[in-house]
Every structure is written in structure tokens, then in C-alpha cells.
Amino acid sequence: MSMIQLLLFAVGLMAFMTLAYMAFSGPSAAKEGARRLEAVRYRHSDSTTDKVEAQLKKAVAARKPKMHQIAGSESRVAALELRLHRTGKPWTLAQYVYASGGLALAIAVLVFLKSGAALLAMGIGALVGAGLPHMVVGFFINRRSAQFTAKFPDAIELLVRGLRSGLPVTETLGVVSTEVPGPVGEEFKLVTERIKIGKSMEDALQDTADRLNTPEFSFFCITLAIQRETGGNLAETLSNLADVLRKRAQMKLKIKAMSSESKASAYIIGALPFTVFGMVYWVNPQYLGGFFTDDRLIATGLGGMVWMGIGAFIMAQMINFEI
């Protein structure tokens, strides 16, 4: 059996397993019944708590993405542009495409000159060209989101002080945009600019929430929406929200500290095979040269990488906790 036939067989087997899982994992009747009972309770209950919870669920449902995973994007190209915008860098879509294509071509040429296997070179080049820029963009997005989350409670506290001193909400948003440095000030500056050109405050905040896609800012938008419907002291509500966000950040740090040992073990176990392979290939290239020329060894290596990827994904899910 040639390598192409073996790869086609593996892809067909994975597709069959996926379709079988989708066929047998239908909706649960018990969960559907519980959901209907919960909807009836929210509809006919006179409790204030149930009414507030129903309004919260309604606000959350109204803010879910309609078409794509990244809210506010009407196509895959727009979703990619939105990801580039979230990095905070002046990167354009054309630069991203050129960088991915150039990296894929360079890696493919290097692997082909080293191994002589054209199919393997194209596969590795495509994998690196598509994966590495995506990982870099994700790294900058996560770093900017972490910076935003760290400063966002301070911005809410500044909003609370402005509201308690008698300033309107739009004025306090402008104060936050000038006083809080970093991504928080930049995003609130965009909010105030949208309000100045005629957008409502809720629409301006919702646009920012769709672009940021962070739970903390979504909580902020939902809190304002519920306060507008139910009334009450907005300053007190935002103060409670800031306290909740600070405690949420503290819990995340505790979980990060408790799972650091498991993460270090996962990194070491995941990097060890590649490190050993690289060192042995550097010392004795002929000993491992068959992995680049023999179809059976290439298929075996690809299968091992797939199973290692599955194991790394399982370990990542085991130490991933939602707060």
C-alpha cells in the first residue's frame, strides 16, 4: 500500500468516526425537558429573581454571534481582519497573506533540499505557513486581552467615581479613554468616537464587545442593559461588577498556580520526542533518514504526530478551567 492510499484510508476512517459520533450523539430528551420547564418557570413566575435571570438570559442570547464564530464578521475574510485588529498591531490582510505564503514557500524549499521528498516538503510548508502566523496572531490577541482584563476593573472604578460625582455616563466614558492607559483607553476612545458620530451608547459598546470577545466586557454590556430595563443605582451595580471581576482574576491566578506543574509536565512530554528526533538526526542523519524517504516510515511518523496531538489536546482540556 502506497503512502497516498494509506493517507486516504486514514482520512476516510476519521471521517467515518466523526459521522458516527454525530449520528449517535443526538439531543438529550432529559435536557430538552428541563429547558422547557425552565422556560415555563421564567415565563409565569412572579419572583423578582426569576425575572432578572430571564432578562439576563435574554440579553446574553441577543449578543450571541449569528453567523460566524467571531462576532461581527459576515465572512471568513472579515473574521480574519477582525482577528488582526484584535492584536492591536497595524497589520493588514495583505501582509498576513504574503507572510503566510512566503513562510510556506521558504519552509517547503528548505525541506525539499534537505530530504528530496516533494510531497513531504509541500505538506510541512503548508502546515507551517498556515499554522505559525495563526499562532503568532493568537499570541498577540491573548496578550492584549490579558492587558485589557487587568486594567478593566480600574476603568469601571473610574466610571463609578464619575457617576457618583454627578457626571453622565457618556462623559465618564470619555474620562476613562483619556485616563486609563493601554488597550482599555484605546477601546473606550473608539466607543466615545462612535457616540459622537451619532451611535447610541448601547450600539457603540456592543460593537466593542463583538470585536474584543472578552467575557469581562460582555458582563459590562449586559449589566448596563439590565440596569436600563430594571432601573436602580448604576454606580452601585458597576462597583459590584468591578469587585466580581477582581475576584474572578484572583481565581484565575490561583488556578494557574495550581496547574503550573501539570502544564510544565505536558510541555516537557510533548517536546521530548521532537527534541530527541532532532538531536539524533543532527548526530547521525543516516539513522533517521528513512523518515523522509520511506513511505511506511513517513506514514508512521505522521500517525505518531496525530496521536501526540490528540494526547496534547486531552491534557490541555484536563487543565483548562472555565471561571
Side-chain angles (χ1 to χ4, degrees):
M1 182 180 292
S2 65
M3 186 186 70
I4 301 297
Q5 294 174 341
L6 187 60
L7 290 177
L8 291 176
F9 175 76
V11 171
L13 182 61
M14 293 182 65
F16 173 76
M17 294 173 63
T18 303
L19 292 175
Y21 174 78
M22 294 174 62
F24 289 102
S25 62
S28 174
K31 291 183 179 180
E32 184 66 20
R35 186 188 64 80
R36 291 181 179 179
L37 289 175
E38 187 177 11
V40 171
R41 178 173 68 88
Y42 287 144
R43 191 180 305 163
H44 299 286
S45 176
D46 294 331
S47 174
T48 305
T49 304
D50 291 341
K51 290 182 178 179
V52 172
E53 189 173 353
Q55 289 172 354
L56 176 61
K57 288 180 176 294
K58 181 180 178 181
V60 172
R63 284 163 170 78
K64 285 184 178 180
K66 296 299 187 296
M67 293 179 59
H68 290 82
Q69 184 177 2
I70 300 179
S73 57
E74 64 278 2
S75 64
R76 301 293 179 182
V77 176
L80 180 56
E81 291 179 347
L82 186 56
R83 276 179 54 84
L84 294 176
H85 178 78
R86 287 176 182 172
T87 61
K89 305 292 183 181
W91 294 339
T92 62
L93 183 61
Q95 292 175 344
Y96 181 86
V97 172
Y98 290 151
S100 300
L103 183 62
L105 181 61
I107 295 298
V109 170
L110 291 176
V111 174
F112 179 75
L113 293 177
K114 187 67 177 178
S115 63
L119 185 61
L120 179 64
M122 289 188 294
I124 295 178
L127 181 63
V128 175
L132 187 59
H134 183 81
M135 292 174 60
V136 171
V137 170
F139 169 76
F140 282 104
I141 291 175
N142 293 333
R143 189 176 71 171
R144 190 169 186 267
S145 299
Q147 294 173 354
F148 182 90
T149 304
K151 291 290 184 181
F152 189 52
D154 297 335
I156 296 179
E157 291 289 348
L158 186 57
L159 280 172
V160 171
R161 290 194 293 270
L163 292 173
R164 287 175 177 171
S165 64
L167 292 176
V169 179
T170 54
E171 292 294 332
T172 54
L173 292 177
V175 172
V176 171
S177 65
T178 56
E179 295 295 331
V180 181
V184 177
E186 296 172 1
E187 296 298 335
F188 273 89
K189 184 178 180 181
L190 294 177
V191 171
T192 55
E193 290 177 353
R194 292 192 189 95
I195 294 175
K196 289 179 181 179
I197 63 176
K199 272 197 171 184
S200 64
M201 186 183 67
E202 288 187 352
D203 291 340
L205 290 174
Q206 186 57 43
D207 290 342
T208 303
D210 291 339
R211 289 191 303 102
L212 288 177
N213 195 27
T214 58
E216 288 78 10
F217 200 86
S218 298
F219 293 159
F220 176 68
C221 295
I222 292 171
T223 300
L224 291 179
I226 293 176
Q227 193 275 337
R228 282 180 176 271
E229 293 182 7
T230 60
N233 190 350
L234 180 58
E236 187 67 24
T237 304
L238 292 179
S239 179
N240 293 333
L241 177 62
D243 183 62
V244 170
L245 293 182
R246 292 186 190 277
K247 291 180 179 179
R248 189 170 184 266
Q250 292 176 1
M251 183 60 68
K252 281 186 176 181
L253 292 177
K254 289 181 181 179
I255 291 176
K256 183 178 180 180
M258 294 175 64
S259 61
S260 59
E261 183 179 358
S262 301
K263 288 183 179 180
S265 300
Y267 293 151
I268 294 172
I269 294 173
L272 187 61
F274 299 99
T275 304
V276 173
F277 185 90
M279 294 176 64
V280 174
Y281 186 76
W282 181 56
V283 174
N284 188 3
Q286 290 77 19
Y287 182 73
L288 298 177
F291 279 95
F292 301 102
T293 56
D294 194 340
D295 293 343
R296 294 171 298 176
L297 290 178
I298 292 175
T300 302
L302 293 175
M305 292 177 65
V306 169
W307 283 112
M308 284 189 61
I310 295 174
F313 174 77
I314 293 174
M315 287 189 292
Q317 293 299 316
M318 291 174 64
I319 60 177
N320 185 22
F321 299 95
E322 292 292 337
I323 303 299

